[in-house]
């Protein structure tokens, strides 16, 4: 195995093109507005709900997901406790996960969710529905600003942009492929 | 069979060919809409190209930096010189943890290495979890597109396949219902998958993280429920910095499908407690391509598929006509590096219109490389006899004005006098397969011009 390592690196050294400079980190400005974020998230099949300053999260969740029974969350009283050791069987039965999003991206509706906010790495995808709570002041214009703000992507982290989807059958868009069937961003 | 022969099989169904053509053109139009909405898009393409160029120029250093950082993250890094070694490494990891089942998200590299048949032969149950890939896997076909693996199929075909394998009602062809059936079927597989394989869209040298982009969420679901994650990557997937992802994530989905970004952009660096991540770095001809100054830019490719969506030949001949893991224009410049003889017809599957080059998000000069491969293929004596002698004949005619003039006269007279069945016999004249030749003019341009110059001017 190590011999392949050496031979590959030797071949790269022998064959690499003349040195060129690494361009400086890009930044193109752009509009970091709630309106733009909302527009794009709707475009990709998600939903934005603005919470009143004093509105309890539980009330909003209850209104939006009246049928959700098995709820996993560290932001409101949960009905299913989830942590890193939770078994697949328990995870699989979760109706709704309510998690904290760190950062929204106005140009595409994506929300940064680091591992620390997930309770279990599989939860944001295995849950039937996903709600992400986001501070409206934490919306940036583009992916350049998003990576600048995130700095290090950590042990595991995901930009989630809308619900899981596919168009693999005749290019017909179907929402709810393998991951969450719906995505709501609750803006504070 | 060569590309024209396989394409003939595809185009024998005219209705389906038209549908395929229009569907991919629609994806190209969605790409345009997304691209025009970003004023700095052309600057982003240049940046992406420059970042990749720089990375290739110091690739050995970035590979070592990546390996160091990945190992510090608790990841096991493996190196594979070729497909066979890659496959052995994957099997070795699976045997090491006593696993017999595998869930796999999209990875063109494992297609390139023919990993699935190898694992199946060795008693491993392999389930492709991307919907399109699952469809073609059940049908025992290869993907026909980089990002739309089942684009050659109609919903009726998928309905039939699912009826056979997943027990959906006969005649069910609603994409919503079929996708729901696949969701339920694949969830069962996710829940019991012991090992998950993913491809890699980007590998970040400064953090040792790998980034995987999907719309379905199948990569994350598979990886985060399995004990072991194996990420398989070609060594050209490296980029230096996390910040460079800002450039590439803005380009990838817009170029591929016209989406502003993929649904999931997932960054895997450290295994969860008690679990494992393995990264397999594969050469399989890439260092050889790196050593070809005319062709090394093909290693910048981020596998978005924009070049195939726009290609007039791909759209009308289908992905399977290329008979190579990566079809379309990019496949036609990657494949001769792997096997010049076997893939010698692919660089000719192009009109050299340059549309592929225009849409490429990392500015690969695809059509120039197609042209250059043609020269090498001719030098290697790999042209079909008809093309080789046809070209020789044509160049000798074009080099002799007298012969050219005589030939023109013969053709004009011949077209007028010979029977249609002869001038349009497809055995000699492939042009006439779906076309009429124009009516032969009475005189050549030269004759007409000489006539004009003999008329006195200035009198009008």
């Amino acid at each position: 195995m190590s011999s392949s390592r050496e031979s590959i690196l030797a071949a790269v050294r022998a064959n690499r093109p003349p040195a060129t400079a690494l361009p400086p980190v890009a930044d193109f400005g752009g509009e970091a507005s709630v309106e733009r974020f909302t527009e794009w998230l709707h475009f990709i099949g998600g939903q934005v709900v603005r919470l009143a300053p004093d509105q309890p999260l539980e009330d909003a969740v209850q209104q939006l997901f009246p049928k959700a029974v098995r709820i996993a969350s560290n932001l409101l009283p949960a009905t299913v406790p989830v942590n890193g050791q939770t078994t697949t069987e328990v995870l699989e039965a979760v109706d709704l996960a309510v998690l904290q999003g760190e950062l929204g991206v106005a140009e595409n509706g994506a929300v940064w969710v680091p591992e620390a906010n997930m309770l279990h790495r599989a939860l944001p995808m295995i849950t039937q529905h996903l709600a992400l709570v986001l501070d409206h002041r934490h919306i940036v214009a583009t992916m350049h600003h998003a990576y600048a703000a995130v700095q290090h992507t950590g042990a595991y982290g995901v930009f989630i942009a809308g619900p899981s989807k596919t168009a693999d059958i005749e290019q017909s868009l179907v929402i709810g492929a393998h991951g969450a069937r719906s995505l709501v961003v609750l803006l504070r | 069979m060569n590309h024209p022969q396989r394409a003939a099989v595809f185009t024998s169904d005219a209705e389906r060919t038209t549908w395929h053509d229009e569907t991919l053109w629609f994806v190209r139009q969605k790409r345009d809409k997304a691209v025009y909405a970003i004023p700095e898009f052309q600057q982003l393409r240049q940046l992406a190209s420059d970042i990749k160029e720089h990375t290739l120029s110091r690739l050995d250093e970035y590979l070592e930096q990546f390996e160091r950082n990945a190992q510090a993250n608790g990841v096991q890094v493996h190196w594979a010189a070729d497909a066979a070694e890659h496959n052995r490494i994957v099997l070795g990891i699976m045997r090491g943890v006593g696993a017999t089942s595998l869930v796999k998200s999209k990875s063109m590299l494992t297609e390139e290495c023919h990993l699935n048949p190898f694992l199946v032969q060795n008693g491993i149950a392999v389930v492709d979890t991307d919907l399109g890939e699952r469809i073609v896997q059940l049908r025992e076909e290869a993907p026909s597109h980089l990002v739309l693996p089942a684009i050659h199929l109609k919903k009726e075909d998928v309905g039939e396949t699912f009826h056979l394998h997943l027990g959906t009602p006969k005649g069910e062809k609603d994409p919503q219902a079929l996708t729901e059936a696949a969701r339920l079927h694949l969830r069962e597989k996710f829940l019991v998958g012991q090992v998950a394989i993913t491809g890699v869209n980007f590998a970040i040298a400064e953090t040792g993280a790998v980034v995987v982009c999907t719309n379905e969420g199948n990569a994350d679901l598979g990886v985060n429920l399995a004990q072991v994650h194996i990420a398989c990557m070609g060594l050209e997937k490296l980029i230096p910095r996390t910040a460079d992802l800002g450039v590439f994530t803005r380009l990838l989905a817009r170029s591929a499908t016209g989406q502003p970004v993929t649904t999931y952009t997932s960054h895997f660096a450290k295994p969860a407690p008690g679990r494992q991540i393995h990264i397999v770095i594969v050469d399989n001809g890439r260092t050889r391509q790196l050593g070809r100054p005319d062709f090394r830019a093909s290693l910048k490719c981020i596998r978005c598929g924009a070049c195939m969506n726009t290609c007039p030949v791909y759209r009308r001949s289908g992905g399977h006509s290329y008979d190579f893991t990566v079809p379309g224009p990019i496949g036609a410049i990657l494949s001769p590096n792997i096997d010049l003889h076997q893939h010698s017809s692919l660089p000719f599957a192009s009109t050299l219109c340059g549309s592929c080059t225009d849409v490429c998000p990392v500015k690969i000069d695809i059509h120039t490389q197609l042209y250059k491969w043609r020269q090498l293929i001719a030098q290697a004596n790999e042209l079909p006899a008809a093309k080789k002698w046809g070209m020789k004949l044509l160049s000798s005619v074009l080099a002799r004005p007298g012969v050219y003039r005589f030939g023109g006269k013969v053709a004009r007279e011949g077209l007028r006098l010979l029977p249609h069945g002869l001038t349009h016999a497809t055995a000699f004249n492939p042009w006439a397969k779906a076309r009429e030749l124009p009516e032969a003019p009475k005189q050549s341009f030269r004759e007409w011009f000489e006539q004009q110059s003999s008329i006195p001017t200035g009198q009008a």
Side-chain angles (χ1 to χ4, degrees):
Chain A
M1 207 190 321
S2 64
S3 72
S4 285
R5 178 187 186 278
E6 298 320 318
S7 66
I8 290 170
L9 287 172
V12 171
R13 264 176 228 121
N15 291 344
R16 68 185 203 178
T20 57
L22 176 63
V25 172
D27 176 13
F28 290 97
E31 188 193 329
S33 68
V34 168
E35 291 70 28
R36 199 144 173 260
F37 175 80
T38 305
E39 205 178 295
W40 277 111
L41 192 60
H42 283 172
F43 179 75
I44 57 178
Q47 195 190 345
V48 175
V49 174
R50 290 214 65 162
L51 298 178
D54 53 351
Q55 186 181 6
L57 188 57
E58 295 90 300
D59 291 2
V61 169
Q62 171 62 32
Q63 275 173 23
L64 284 163
F65 301 95
K67 287 186 205 149
V69 178
R70 304 182 64 82
I71 302 175
S73 180
N74 54 350
L75 307 174
L76 49 79
T79 52
V80 185
V82 171
N83 61 35
Q85 276 68 53
T86 303
T87 61
T88 300
E89 293 68 34
V90 173
L91 291 171
E92 210 265 326
V94 171
D95 297 322
L96 170 70
V98 184
L99 304 173
Q100 184 71 45
E102 288 299 312
L103 189 81
V105 186
E107 70 163 337
N108 57 26
V111 177
W112 174 247
V113 186
E115 180 180 28
N117 299 11
M118 292 181 183
L119 306 181
H120 184 288
R121 286 189 183 195
L123 182 61
M125 297 87 199
I126 202 168
T127 178
Q128 295 292 330
H129 300 274
L130 177 62
L132 295 173
V133 180
L134 183 68
D135 186 326
H136 75 277
R137 293 164 304 185
H138 292 179
I139 288 177
V140 297
T142 68
M143 292 304 286
H144 304 300
H145 304 109
Y147 280 109
V150 168
Q151 287 283 323
H152 195 292
T153 53
Y156 173 62
V158 185
F159 280 104
I160 301 177
S164 159
K165 60 171 93 58
T166 183
D168 274 347
I169 301 175
E170 272 198 17
Q171 277 295 289
S172 306
L173 181 69
V174 177
I175 302 282
H178 302 302
R181 295 175 189 274
S182 74
L183 177 106
V184 178
V185 170
L186 300 163
L187 269 188
R188 275 226 184 266
Chain B
M1 283 214 285
N2 57 26
H3 179 268
Q5 289 163 332
R6 287 185 298 261
V9 175
F10 184 80
T11 53
S12 63
D13 186 340
E15 205 177 317
R16 186 172 289 228
T17 306
T18 303
W19 178 84
H20 190 265
D21 174 25
E22 286 169 355
T23 304
L24 287 159
W25 185 248
F26 176 66
V27 180
R28 158 75 210 257
Q29 287 174 316
K30 286 200 296 184
R31 174 255 174 213
D32 288 350
K33 217 173 148 198
V35 163
Y36 298 156
I38 305 289
E40 61 267 24
F41 199 82
Q42 297 306 326
Q43 286 158 276
L44 287 172
R45 288 177 72 213
Q46 191 61 50
L47 270 172
S49 182
D50 291 346
I51 293 168
K52 284 282 188 180
E53 181 79 30
H54 164 81
T55 312
L56 292 176
S57 80
R58 294 173 54 177
L59 188 58
D60 50 322
E61 296 163 40
Y62 283 123
L63 282 166
E64 287 177 302
Q65 187 192 5
F66 174 74
E67 179 189 43
R68 248 189 337 269
N69 287 325
Q71 285 169 343
N73 290 336
V75 170
Q76 297 180 55
V77 180
H78 311 258
W79 301 73
D82 54 25
E85 189 174 11
H86 163 267
N87 294 350
R88 277 200 306 276
I89 290 169
V90 172
L91 182 64
I93 296 168
M94 297 208 55
R95 295 230 163 116
V97 296
T100 53
S101 73
L102 172 72
V103 289
K104 210 162 136 270
S105 72
K106 185 95 79 30
S107 156
M108 292 314 288
L109 177 70
T110 59
E111 291 286 338
E112 173 187 322
C113 295
H114 303 289
L115 177 67
N116 285 15
F118 172 80
L119 290 179
V120 170
Q121 274 166 21
N122 283 281
I124 307 280
V126 182
V127 176
D128 276 315
T129 58
D130 173 83
L131 176 59
E133 293 225 312
R134 185 61 180 154
I135 293 168
V136 297
Q137 185 187 31
L138 290 173
R139 297 172 62 91
E140 298 180 26
E141 292 176 354
S144 70
H145 188 286
L146 280 178
V147 296
L148 319 164
I151 194 65
H152 59 292
L153 298 171
K154 305 277 290 189
K155 59 189 175 196
E156 290 81 7
D157 304 324
V158 179
E160 193 54 38
T161 304
F162 279 15
H163 172 63
L164 221 61
H165 295 276
L166 310 187
T168 51
K170 187 152 182 64
E172 178 64 81
K173 56 178 186 178
D174 173 42
Q176 183 89 41
L178 293 173
T179 302
E180 183 64 25
R183 175 183 170 104
L184 298 176
H185 157 71
L186 284 167
R187 279 226 160 196
E188 287 170 23
K189 307 290 181 185
F190 282 124
L191 303 188
V192 299
Q194 298 160 296
V195 174
I197 286 193
T198 69
V200 170
N201 288 94
F202 307 103
I204 317 302
E206 70 174 4
T207 63
V210 294
V211 177
V212 180
C213 304
T214 73
N215 281 325
E216 299 181 8
N218 54 319
D220 298 86
L221 205 44
V223 166
N224 293 329
L225 294 176
Q227 285 302 310
V228 179
H229 172 193
I230 308 174
C232 302
M233 57 176 269
L235 48 77
E236 79 283 19
K237 295 292 171 190
L238 260 289
I239 54 174
R241 305 165 297 200
T242 299
D244 298 322
L245 287 168
V247 174
F248 289 100
T249 54
R250 298 189 77 194
L251 289 166
L252 178 62
R254 288 187 176 96
S255 299
T257 57
Q259 292 171 257
V261 71
T262 49
T263 305
Y264 302 94
T265 305
S266 309
H267 309 65
F268 299 91
K270 294 183 187 172
R275 303 195 182 202
Q276 299 177 22
I277 298 181
H278 297 258
I279 296 175
V280 189
I281 301 173
V282 182
D283 181 350
N284 206 31
R286 286 163 175 77
T287 53
R288 186 168 62 238
Q289 189 85 322
L290 189 65
R292 301 183 198 263
D294 283 345
F295 302 111
R296 59 167 60 116
S298 62
L299 294 171
K300 295 177 179 177
C301 177
I302 58 171
R303 304 289 192 267
C304 70
C307 61
M308 34 203 86
N309 300 340
T310 201
C311 178
V313 176
Y314 174 88
R315 279 188 277 117
R316 293 174 182 85
S317 64
H320 289 155
S321 67
Y322 292 79
D323 196 28
F324 183 67
T325 315
V326 179
I330 183 69
I333 60 173
L334 292 174
S335 56
N337 174 56
I338 303 294
D339 188 335
L340 187 84
H341 173 71
Q342 192 190 339
H343 305 296
S344 62
S345 67
L346 297 191
F348 296 90
S350 167
T351 63
L352 300 185
C353 68
S355 186
C356 46
T357 304
D358 289 343
V359 298
C360 178
V362 290
K363 298 192 104 167
I364 302 170
D365 54 340
I366 303 175
H367 74 295
T368 312
Q369 294 193 28
L370 286 167
Y371 179 69
K372 286 176 179 168
W373 274 120
R374 292 182 184 187
Q375 319 300 307
L376 294 184
I377 287 161
Q379 279 164 27
N381 210 16
E382 291 288 354
L383 286 182
K387 187 169 267 167
K388 181 177 156 187
W389 293 109
M391 296 290 258
K392 278 194 196 294
L393 179 68
L394 189 63
S395 77
S396 77
V397 169
L398 291 176
R400 295 177 179 78
V403 178
Y404 175 77
R405 249 170 282 161
F406 176 72
K409 201 178 265 307
V410 170
R412 283 193 301 280
E413 294 303 321
L415 264 184
R416 230 188 332 268
L417 301 174
L418 294 172
H420 183 273
L422 192 61
T423 57
H424 287 69
T426 52
F428 318 111
N429 186 4
W431 168 267
K433 270 180 191 168
R435 285 174 286 224
E436 279 297 309
L437 289 166
E439 204 176 310
K442 292 217 164 47
Q443 53 183 181
S444 71
F445 174 75
R446 171 183 281 270
E447 288 163 353
W448 173 85
F449 186 77
E450 277 167 0
Q451 217 171 36
Q452 299 305 306
S453 356
S454 63
I455 299 170
T457 53
Q459 304 293 318

